[in-house]
Amino acid sequence: MITDLNEVPRTAVTDRFHRPLKDLRISVTDRCNFRCGYCMPKDVFGKNHSFLSSNQLLGYEDIERLVRIFSKLGVRKIRLTGGEPLLRKDLEDLVSKIAGVAGIVDIALTTNASLLSHARAVSLYEAGVHRLNISLDALTPEIYEKINQVPAPLEDILDGIENALKVPYQAIKINMVVQKGVNECDILSMCERFRGTGAILRFIEFMDVGNHNRWNLDKVFTAKEMADVIHPVYPIEPIKANYRGEVSKRWKYLDGQGEVGIISSITQPFCGDCARARLSAKGEVYTCLFASAGYDLRPLLDSQLDDTEILQKLHHLWQDRKDRYSMDRLSQGDLKPLGRTSQKVEMSYIGG
Ligand code: SF4
């Protein structure tokens, strides 16, 4: 029996719907310095909310070990998320460890950029981060503050984005979650702000993630509505996906000012090619953003099991995977959240 991970041939494990495991999203903390209502509403994640303590967090050695194991199962892309990942100490050390794992070809990070100084943008890049996703949901200060519910100046985020644009990242994407009646009025000003800058603006349909964001269909500004707002002012046309399984539908500005993306989990789900697993900061693997339960790896990591034995458990976990929440939500016709007996995991706990 093979006991040395290096001897294990690299196999792209596939699930019940023949979807290969290719991407791993790693939440390095469940804490955030923002309280965006669609993710971490302030009245729920208030001062009495019990976040993970530091000794409950997976250590960087354990995360590196798991990345090595997952890379043997086909994972090639790692996305570091949170909560807000820049709150986790010495994150560059983790990035360097992951960058050293054979088979990992892409490291990305999702941040709200409030802590993204130029020096930090440089150190993350030098450690091995290739791509940044930055969340920004409005340019109107009142709307911006209404959404993230904390006194964080909009300028700080815009400075963070400028800092990132000065560093040669492969890609910088600006993610805006559009909520009907809240911020769709800022779609055009966001286009105007980021067209021609090299940053790719992406509009995201509001999703029923977690259990507390008071989601309902009336609050969804659909992908079609977004395109219908943009096109008359900044004519756009659809362009080919960069790769199979890309979540964002790409559109190019006809005047050559770059591209814009739309992520439509509600009206045009993309579960068919979903190749993503998620690792919580505590060490549980989730096979869907809308999952109710994760598979706890901590006992395995703390046990005498060797890497190949943990690999076999993850192999079975993915092979048994049949998650298609968004497709199932759409196919039931009324687009209501799927009736579940148990609570869904919170997005802030596993990263978007
Ligand atoms: S709903 Fe679940 S299965 Fe579908 S794309 Fe999202 S994470 Fe993947």
Side-chain angles (χ1 to χ4, degrees), residues 270-271 274 276 278 288-290 321 323-326:
F270 32 81
C271 304
C274 179
R276 291 172 291 282
R278 291 170 168 85
C288 175
L289 177 58
F290 300 90
R321 177 193 187 226
D323 301 276
R324 294 193 305 182
Y325 179 93
S326 293

Side-chain angles (χ1 to χ4, degrees), residues 28-35 57 60 83-91 111-112 114-115 120:
V28 295
T29 177
D30 62 338
R31 295 172 189 265
C32 185
N33 53 349
F34 280 18
R35 288 292 178 277
L57 297 177
Y60 290 168
E84 170 49 46
L86 299 189
L87 288 172
R88 182 90 188 249
K89 251 167 102 293
D90 308 326
L91 189 66
T111 174
N112 62 32
S114 60
L115 305 168
R120 200 76 206 267

Side-chain angles (χ1 to χ4, degrees), residues 176 178 187 191 201-205 226 230 260-263:
M176 176 184 181
V178 183
I187 287 176
C191 289
L201 179 56
R202 305 188 315 165
F203 299 104
I204 304 175
E205 287 182 342
M226 296 171 192
I230 299 167
V260 62
I262 299 179
I263 300 176

